[in-house]
């Protein structure tokens, strides 16, 4: 065994990660249908006015407003209906005083008309006539040309996240594709002689790979492109080969072998290929956590224990990946509830303690670092500072929801 020489505090680990992160510079064009959640690479300005023409904002009649002055229920103004205007068809007849056109919402305004009287303010007055019983103000119920977006105006800015609303704005100006930053390619690989891919038979003494799948799910949910690789055996040569095979990725995330057992050989495989930036963080679970640069590529060596691995993925990998992907940091959704049971914690280690929400209280859900059910049966987690050793039942705690 080769015990950890030392661990660093969580805050120091976060500082070193922040200093090491490099946002991706590559960009790619994506179809608008695929653009949700992506990050805009270049500002887009509108090539046209939206709407491109003045249009009716109500179903009713396009009129000359002055014609309707003084109109009331007791003395309506009668106008000749000279046209019927629908959406998608440019009007051909100009409106002159004394005339009007029936018009549908969204149809282009005819020349000469400067207001729309909504149908509720009219009475049918025979074949080609209408009685208007409310005076119209000039401009009323008209959607001005360029009211939404003017030609030359910014539609989306560089670095903005493509929300459904921003995708809509691109569509409105006729963009079918958008230039966005590429997703960081993340090579994900599990190490260990015991690891078997789910779907295959399980020989004695072996276990199914959990980490590759939890990591891939978290990477995909935070702007990364997971590139899972087959598991690798505990041998320096095999690990070195895996580093070389993953060299083209933007980020490498391996799990297992980062601990202090004789067969934990990640550190040996890195020697000569890169620099270890930290190994060992004062957190629980997840102490055997490594961050390195291997051949210029950032490398996360996650603990093998599935709940340690996933806990560290939330706490350390997720913010790093989001910064690489140029996504905003995740604002945690928190819930303040009383603790359902007293918990004790080890001094000197910052603890991430999973809990389940039950009848408005936070009940401990943490079993052990090796148990994925510590997370699969939890709704969130609370942080217990390195100095806290006991939290009494009933204490109000902030639960970070998954
Ligand atoms: P290690 O970090 O390699 O010392 O592994 C610590 C523990 O986690 C051991 O019990 C391993 O069998 C287990 N483990 C390592 N990698 C995985 C994995 N990918 N999926 C499930 N369990 C794992
Ligand atoms: Mg191992």
């Amino acid at each position: 065994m080769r015990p950890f020489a030392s661990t660093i505090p969580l805050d120091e680990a976060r500082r070193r990660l922040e200093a090491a992160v490099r946002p991706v510079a590559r960009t790619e064009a994506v179809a608008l249908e695929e653009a949700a959640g992506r990050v805009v690479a270049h500002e887009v300005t509108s090539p046209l006015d939206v709407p491109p023409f003045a249009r009716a904002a109500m179903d009713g009649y396009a009129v000359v407003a002055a014609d309707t002055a003084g109109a009331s229920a007791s003395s309506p103004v009668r106008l000749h209906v000279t046209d019927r205007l629908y959406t998608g068809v440019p009007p051909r007849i100009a409106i002159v005083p004394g005339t009007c056109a029936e018009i549908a919402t969204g149809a282009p305004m005819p020349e000469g008309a400067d207001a729309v009287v909504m149908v509720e303010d009219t009475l049918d007055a025979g074949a080609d006539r209408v009685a208007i019983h409310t005076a119209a103000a000039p401009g009323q119920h008209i959607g001005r040309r360029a009211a939404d977006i003017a030609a030359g105006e910014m539609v989306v800015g560089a670095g903005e996240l493509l929300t459904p609303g921003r995708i809509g704005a691109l569509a409105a100006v006729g963009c079918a594709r958008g230039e966005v930053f590429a997703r960081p390619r993340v090579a994900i690989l599990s190490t260990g002689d015991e690891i078997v891919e789910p779907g295959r038979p399980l020989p004695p003494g072996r276990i199914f790979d959990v980490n590759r799948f939890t990591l891939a799910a978290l990477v995909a949910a935070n702007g990364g492109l997971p590139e899972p690789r087959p598991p690798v055996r505990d041998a320096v040569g095999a690990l070195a080969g895996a580093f070389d095979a993953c060299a083209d990725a933007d980020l490498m995330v391996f799990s297992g072998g980062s601990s202090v057992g004789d067969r934990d050989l990640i550190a040996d495989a890195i020697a000569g290929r890169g620099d270890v930036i930290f190994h060992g963080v004062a957190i629980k679970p997840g102490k055997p956590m490594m961050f390195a640069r291997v051949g210029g590529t950032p490398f996360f060596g996650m603990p093998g224990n599935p709940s340690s691995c996933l806990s560290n993925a939330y706490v350390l990998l997720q913010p790093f990946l989001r910064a690489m992907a140029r996504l905003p940091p995740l604002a945690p959704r928190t819930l303040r509830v009383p603790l359902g049971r007293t918990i004790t914690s080890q001094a000197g280690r910052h603890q991430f303690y999973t809990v389940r929400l039950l009848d408005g209280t936070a009940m401990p859900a943490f079993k052990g670092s090796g148990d994925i059910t510590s997370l699969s049966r939890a709704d969130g987690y609370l942080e217990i500072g390195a100095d806290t050793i006991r939290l009494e039942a009933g204490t109000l705690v902030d639960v970070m929801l998954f």
Side-chain angles (χ1 to χ4, degrees), residues 190-191 194-195 207-212 234 255-259 264 302-306:
S190 299
T191 71
E194 74 280 32
I195 306 302
I207 57 168
F208 286 124
D209 188 355
V210 173
N211 299 341
R212 192 178 105 185
D234 286 313
S255 71
S258 74
S259 182
D264 291 325
M302 314 298 289
N305 274 318

Side-chain angles (χ1 to χ4, degrees), residues 41-95:
H42 311 298
E43 176 177 300
V44 176
T45 55
S46 180
L48 78 171
D49 291 333
V50 180
F53 48 85
R55 62 188 177 184
M58 289 280 182
D59 290 328
Y61 293 85
V63 301
V64 178
D67 278 355
T68 67
S72 68
S74 54
S75 77
V77 169
R78 289 185 167 73
L79 297 174
H80 281 281
V81 181
T82 54
D83 205 354
R84 304 207 187 290
L85 302 172
Y86 303 103
T87 54
V89 187
R92 285 189 316 242
I93 302 170
I95 303 304

Side-chain angles (χ1 to χ4, degrees), residues 76 97 106 118 156 283-284 372 376:
M118 57 183 185
V156 292
I283 48 176
K284 186 185 164 141
I372 188 61
S376 67

